[in-house]
Amino acid sequence: MWKTMMLQLFISLLPAVAYQMWNDRAERSDRTGARFIGFVSGAAMMLCMVMAHRSSEGYQFDFRHIPYVIGSLYGGVWSLAYLTVIYVAFRLPFIDTGTNFIVFGLFIAMFVPLLLLSIRPFQFARRADKHKIVMVLFTVVELFFTATVLLYASDEGSSSLRNHLLLFIVLSALSYSMVWSSVHIIESIKEKQLLQMQLKQLSDKYRGEVQKLQQFIDETPIGVVLTNIEGKITHLNEVALNLFAGPNNTKCTREMRGNPYVELFDPLRDETCLNMVAKALEGRRSSVELVETEGRVLVKTAFSLHDSESSGMNSITGAALIVHDITELRYLRAELDRMDRLSLVGQMAASITHEIRNPMAVIRGFVQLLKERSGQDMQDYFRIIMDELDRANAIINDFLSLAQDRLIDKNMMSLNNLLMEMLPLITADANLRGLAVECRLEPNLPDLFLNDKEIKQLILNLARNGLEAMSEGAGSLQLSTYTSADMVELRVQDAGVGISQEQMERLFEPFFTTKTKGTGLGLPVCLSIAERHHGRIDVESEEGKGTTFIVKFMLGQSMAEASAASDRALAEG
């Protein structure tokens, strides 16, 4: 008997064991788990009833109520109905008297509703409360069957009663122990499952944050190099790799990770970076260096990475080197300064034009009158005075051309036509110097939204600069036009002495000139005109071989301005 009862004890733990097996599966759901524990509880209950010990008085001792209660509470209403059907189907064949049938009916009528009412509170309760609920339910079961045992054994004498009660007490104690263990095992598994889920969520969140940080570092236009305490690269973005990797380095950022940081830098060129990272790994204070190399201006910053939970040297977990290329920023700042100067020039021109031109017109008139009334020996002097007055008037006109905010009339016209109109004047100027002019025009050049006077001034200024750059009688000036998908180009190429790199940097500064009689306003005027027409001027030059000025007009922006002007004219008309 005892062997059978011990085997039943292990069988009664099948729901908890099965729950553990189900929980270890990769794919699982709460609904599937509830049905699974219901099926296993039904199988365990049937095995317990089949292996039950029956006394000579007809009373049945087994542990069927353990899987019945556990399966119903964890499996839900569906499991309760399923287990109750099995319970009734397996118990009815062993009921042989009317009294037994009445007792069994009272138990079902009383306990099943009580179990049904306990399912929902049980499933939402804490572990301690679940133990209390299941113990209360089992106490109800044990009290009911204690009364049944007393009823059966009362007719057999005190000795039989004592034996039955002793057996019942032992089995009840084992039942309490098993049902408590089942709840404990299942709840431990559920807590483990909850912890795993929380850990997975935390891990996914951490992984997502790490990926965001990595993407931020990879996409930022600043070079970033991160190392661990051992000096090995843990992260490197493309900007840093392009800044520091030598021509012989064919590794990508992923391949560089895990390598010592010294392999990234050139020992001679990047000595500053090597020293900064080494100091950061030693825990020294952050350092900032401004370095100009290979035509670039770099701001380099290095600092230590620390563990917030530690202190002192033990808190250092690595180092970071951040490199910012501010070459473009410096260029934009210089461009802003140039624009400020041009704005100042424009304001000066607007304020002094009338005050200077009127006296100059009077002076020139009287000088011309004196020239007509003077002798032949004074004519050269008067001519010099009038030429200088004309040159001063031209300087004033250049001042006005630099005013950025003045309104100009534009129309759709061909750049080729404007160039052809200026060609005789440029050719005549070239003939005086013994030079030739070549003109190559693209036949199907799109029309642009232009101001003809300003574009003619632009063409003439660039052409005269090219002619003045060449020695007399040697070389030719080439004028050409080109078109692409989004722009129209005007090229003015000479075969002169070329422009040095130092002069190139100041080429468009007002009042900067390399000519003995130059004003330094010709090229700034050209740039101002180009910018008012949605264009820019690029310069290609090689000393001793010549210079090419390339004026690029943005076709899309020019068309957009023409369309806006047409709509404005229609609205006003």
Side-chain angles (χ1 to χ4, degrees), residues 33 59 63-64 157 239 300 317 322 340 422 431 456 553:
Y59 187 77
F63 296 104
R64 63 182 180 272
V239 177
K300 302 179 180 180
T317 59
I322 298 176
D340 289 340
M422 297 300 298
N431 291 337
K456 287 179 180 179
F553 299 97

Side-chain angles (χ1 to χ4, degrees), residues 335 338-339 342 401-404 406 408 410 415 448-451 453-459 461-462 488-490 508 521-539 549-555 557-558 561:
E335 188 71 10
R338 186 185 71 83
M339 296 297 293
L342 291 180
S401 296
L402 288 174
Q404 295 290 318
R406 62 178 180 157
I408 56 175
K410 296 181 181 179
L415 183 62
L448 296 170
F449 198 54
L450 305 173
N451 177 272
K453 293 181 180 180
E454 288 205 336
I455 298 301
K456 287 179 180 179
Q457 182 182 0
L458 169 71
I459 296 171
N461 282 359
L462 293 178
V488 173
E489 292 185 5
L490 165 67
F508 295 99
L521 293 173
L523 287 179
V525 167
C526 292
L527 181 60
S528 177
I529 293 172
E531 290 175 345
R532 283 198 290 273
H533 289 81
H534 307 291
R536 70 173 191 266
I537 300 179
D538 295 340
V539 184
F549 284 87
I550 307 169
V551 186
K552 298 180 178 180
F553 299 97
M554 300 302 156
L555 191 57
Q557 296 181 19
S558 182
E561 185 183 9

Side-chain angles (χ1 to χ4, degrees), residues 139-193:
T139 301
V140 172
V141 173
E142 297 304 321
L143 288 176
F144 185 87
F145 283 96
T146 299
T148 306
V149 170
L150 293 174
L151 179 64
Y152 273 104
S154 60
D155 299 330
E156 301 297 328
S158 59
S159 177
S160 177
L161 177 61
R162 188 166 51 252
N163 292 336
H164 281 85
L165 285 176
L166 180 60
L167 177 60
F168 185 77
I169 291 172
V170 173
L171 296 180
S172 297
L174 292 174
S175 297
Y176 276 112
S177 148
M178 289 298 103
V179 76
W180 189 93
S181 299
S182 297
V183 173
H184 178 77
I185 292 172
I186 294 176
E187 289 303 312
S188 297
I189 295 170
K190 293 182 70 175
E191 288 180 1
K192 177 184 175 183
Q193 180 182 348

